Amino acid sequence: MRKILLEIDLAICSLWTIAALGSRIAWVATPATWIVMLLIMSRLLLSFTLYHREKKSWIPGLLFMGLAAFAVSTELDIKLNELASKVFPLLNLDFNRWWYVGLTLAVATWLWVVPLAVFLVNIFRKGFLTDTLTWKDALGKLLWTDKTARTYCSLLLITTGTLYAGLAMNARICLFACVVAPTLSFPSA
């Protein structure tokens, strides 16, 4: 059950990453883009530390909540609304404001409330948490030392690269990405 929840969580985080980095505004190297990328990476780190039932899951959780509070306080667009709006053309449905708001709230709840609830449940279950991570692992090294996390991050990086190649709409770059991306993802999977 834990693995299925991790897979659902990583799928939602992947869609959020594509929505956040796939906008034309993200092409400019602004501090806002870097903050959104740090927000996404801290959320991914939180997912993997919670999957491993670590006591130090509070570190990426606090980092994620702090970056999210900073993003909200500075009115930084973290693209949750763009993620919800893509569902309607994808499913060939007419736009419905109630479903749009509901989907946005569902994604926001999944990204912010569910990890907190999982962490609190793990804390109150005696002997359920382990303390095997170092501080470096809890601050991001886990994404590159854990095999599953490394594979996921590699594939997400390849997906983001091909997304940017597709957004460029240059025929040679798109052809290159279509040929190279499967080759790059094969050894890491």
Side-chain angles (χ1 to χ4, degrees):
M1 185 66 177
R2 268 185 29 218
K3 187 168 179 143
I4 292 172
L5 285 176
L6 177 68
E7 290 171 357
I8 292 169
D9 189 45
L10 293 178
I12 292 172
C13 288
S14 298
L15 292 173
W16 178 42
T17 303
I18 290 170
L21 299 178
S23 67
R24 297 275 182 189
I25 299 169
W27 281 82
V28 204
T30 62
T33 304
W34 291 104
I35 291 169
V36 170
M37 288 173 51
L38 283 173
L39 188 65
I40 291 168
M41 294 307 288
S42 63
R43 179 59 174 84
L44 293 175
L45 182 61
L46 178 60
S47 296
F48 283 107
T49 56
L50 286 174
Y51 174 70
H52 289 295
R53 296 181 179 150
E54 284 292 330
K55 282 185 181 177
K56 289 188 180 86
S57 294
W58 66 269
I59 297 170
L62 192 63
L63 180 65
F64 176 68
M65 293 298 177
L67 285 169
F70 176 75
V72 168
S73 68
T74 57
E75 297 179 4
L76 180 67
D77 188 13
I78 54 176
K79 303 295 183 186
L80 290 181
N81 55 353
E82 190 160 328
L83 179 62
S85 67
K86 298 296 183 201
V87 171
F88 297 104
L90 185 67
L91 297 176
N92 198 20
L93 297 172
D94 292 333
F95 183 79
N96 185 335
R97 181 77 176 157
W98 292 105
W99 279 101
Y100 169 76
V101 170
L103 285 172
T104 304
L105 289 175
V107 171
T109 302
W110 184 271
L111 291 176
W112 278 275
V113 177
V114 169
L116 179 64
V118 168
F119 184 68
L120 290 175
V121 165
N122 286 342
I123 282 178
F124 291 119
R125 293 172 82 179
K126 299 281 184 200
F128 201 66
L129 293 177
T130 61
D131 194 15
T132 57
L133 284 184
T134 64
W135 281 88
K136 288 180 183 178
D137 288 335
L139 288 172
K141 186 179 171 187
L142 177 72
L143 292 176
W144 307 112
T145 56
D146 182 51
K147 185 180 182 215
T148 307
R150 185 177 58 238
T151 302
Y152 173 77
C153 288
S154 300
L155 291 174
L156 186 62
L157 185 64
I158 291 167
T159 302
T160 305
T162 55
L163 172 74
Y164 280 144
L167 288 175
M169 293 312 240
N170 184 334
R172 289 184 183 166
I173 294 174
C174 287
L175 179 63
F176 180 76
C178 289
V179 170
V180 171
T183 309
L184 287 176
S185 62
F186 179 70
S188 63

